[in-house]
Amino acid sequence: MAANRTCNTSTALLVIDMQNDFLLEDSAIRLDGGLAIVPNVIKAVEDARRRGFVVVWVVREYDPLGRDVELFRRPFYANGNLKPTSKGSKGAEMVDGLVIKPEDYKVVKTRFSAFFDTNLQSFLQGAEIDNLVVVGIQTPNCIRQTVFDAVALDYKSVTVIVDATAAATPDVHAANIYDMKNVGVAAPTLEEWCASSN
Amino acid sequence: MAANRTCNTSTALLVIDMQNDFLLEDSAIRLDGGLAIVPNVIKAVEDARRRGFVVVWVVREYDPLGRDVELFRRPFYANGNLKPTSKGSKGAEMVDGLVIKPEDYKVVKTRFSAFFDTNLQSFLQGAEIDNLVVVGIQTPNCIRQTVFDAVALDYKSVTVIVDATAAATPDVHAANIYDMKNVGVAAPTLEEWCASSN
């Protein structure tokens, strides 16, 4: 990787839902295969920093009483036991190896798309971001909804790093990557992306 | 006030921007007249709790680097000195006398309306809230934008407590209350509101 890469401030890397409760093996709501992509997400963040991209951490953080949770997820809160990614809990923190730095930006969402009910679009517009690169979990839900919204919002380029995103099964992952490519989304591997200029 | 008031869970009290930096006398961006309404806002919160209303604290909390601040406010961040209501700062905390309880809900906004770029509407819809009562500052900006959005969103009733809201001058306050009443908003005094059934 060239050391003298030019700073590109028109691109942001969105890192989605890489939180303990979605990843750790002892979590009842872990995503199978999620932990396997952590090393690639770490590399994507490192490479984004080297290129001067803004790193945006998109996370779920819920009301401990569950009042802002999607209806289909509310049973996890009703029994008073699990409360995944409750605001302030260990489960809501980033998984080991991923660290939010002061120059990064954090967006809390309570629905699938990172653009839904958040200030992400205002932030990106204010920072004159035209290009988005997306990593994290999981492909059919938060990744895809965010990506489709980004396409609808006319970002010049939307990139999903295919081996820094994951679904419950490889088939679901592949089917969703296929659909996203069909709406103009780039889906390089991490290696291809790191070798690219953007 | 009747002690046996019925619990009304279809109403929420929105308390807007009652933060140190907007209120305290030594703050460069204080709202003149803001501090004077603090006792009435405290009483409104107490009365809302007695009635079983959800209390929603709407606050501004900005990126310390100022990247999510409205353009017109960015000079306050550019010089590196003021950074009003920066996330995590003392200035972003609620003014003395107002305390967020665990059963309350907190919404962070970066623009005028509490509905803009936030999950407030999702939260209120999920909680089956039909009626909104608004207190805080300041009348022409955050209060009015929130109220007009609430009217546009077809809340059954929208109430602004006229002496628990404030603007830079009494004239500006009155002119905005006048406009809001003209779109069907109720504007009782705190005493009238406390004596009412809703």
Side-chain angles (χ1 to χ4, degrees), chain A residues 4-70:
Chain A
N4 60 351
R5 214 157 220 163
T6 6
C7 181
N8 180 340
T9 55
S10 72
T11 300
L13 176 73
L14 308 184
V15 186
I16 298 184
D17 286 4
M18 294 299 289
Q19 296 160 273
N20 287 328
D21 276 346
F22 297 129
L23 291 164
L24 297 188
E25 302 219 0
D26 60 356
S27 167
I29 60 150
R30 77 178 173 286
L31 177 75
D32 290 336
L35 215 47
I37 64 158
V38 172
N40 277 2
V41 173
I42 292 171
K43 283 180 203 155
V45 171
E46 286 170 354
D47 202 54
R49 294 199 197 285
R50 265 194 294 273
R51 300 194 206 192
F53 297 170
V54 183
V55 179
V56 180
W57 301 86
V58 181
V59 297
R60 287 185 186 257
E61 285 182 9
Y62 287 117
D63 173 35
L65 301 178
R67 294 170 299 178
D68 53 12
V69 178
E70 295 110 323

Side-chain angles (χ1 to χ4, degrees), chain B residues 3-21:
Chain B
N4 59 351
R5 213 157 222 166
T6 9
C7 181
N8 179 341
T9 55
S10 73
T11 300
L13 176 73
L14 308 185
V15 186
I16 297 183
D17 286 4
M18 294 298 290
Q19 295 160 272
N20 288 327
D21 276 345

Side-chain angles (χ1 to χ4, degrees), chain B residues 3-198:
Chain B
N4 59 351
R5 213 157 222 166
T6 9
C7 181
N8 179 341
T9 55
S10 73
T11 300
L13 176 73
L14 308 185
V15 186
I16 297 183
D17 286 4
M18 294 298 290
Q19 295 160 272
N20 288 327
D21 276 345
F22 297 128
L23 291 164
L24 297 188
E25 302 219 359
D26 59 355
S27 167
I29 59 150
R30 76 177 174 286
L31 177 74
D32 290 335
L35 215 47
I37 64 159
V38 172
N40 277 2
V41 173
I42 292 172
K43 282 181 203 155
V45 171
E46 286 170 355
D47 203 54
R49 294 198 198 287
R50 265 195 294 272
R51 300 194 208 193
F53 297 170
V54 184
V55 179
V56 180
W57 301 86
V58 181
V59 296
R60 288 186 184 255
E61 286 183 9
Y62 288 117
D63 174 35
L65 301 179
R67 294 169 299 177
D68 53 11
V69 178
E70 295 110 323
L71 285 184
F72 83 91
R73 247 181 251 266
R74 292 203 182 187
F76 287 122
Y77 286 76
N79 64 18
N81 287 326
L82 287 173
K83 303 190 175 185
T85 68
S86 250
K87 202 176 278 290
S89 72
K90 183 78 186 163
E93 290 176 11
M94 306 311 299
V95 76
D96 271 0
L98 291 172
V99 179
I100 304 180
K101 293 194 173 179
E103 66 269 26
D104 300 341
Y105 193 73
K106 178 179 164 182
V107 170
V108 176
K109 68 177 169 58
T110 57
R111 295 295 183 271
F112 300 114
S113 169
F115 292 100
F116 191 96
D117 282 358
T118 74
N119 73 331
L120 179 60
Q121 172 68 0
S122 293
F123 169 75
L124 295 172
Q125 182 182 303
E128 299 182 352
I129 300 295
D130 291 323
N131 308 289
L132 296 180
V133 182
V134 180
V135 296
I137 53 175
Q138 57 168 306
T139 322
N141 298 351
C142 296
I143 301 297
R144 182 182 178 136
Q145 289 308 111
T146 300
V147 161
F148 267 78
D149 279 354
V151 170
L153 287 163
D154 289 337
Y155 281 84
K156 282 188 190 161
S157 75
V158 182
T159 301
V160 173
I161 302 181
V162 72
D163 50 358
T165 43
T169 73
D171 282 354
V172 171
H173 182 64
N176 280 280
I177 293 290
Y178 179 87
D179 291 345
M180 289 189 272
K181 286 169 89 166
N182 277 338
V183 294
V185 172
T189 62
L190 179 69
E191 192 178 350
E192 288 166 345
W193 182 69
C194 287
S196 72
S197 62
N198 193 358

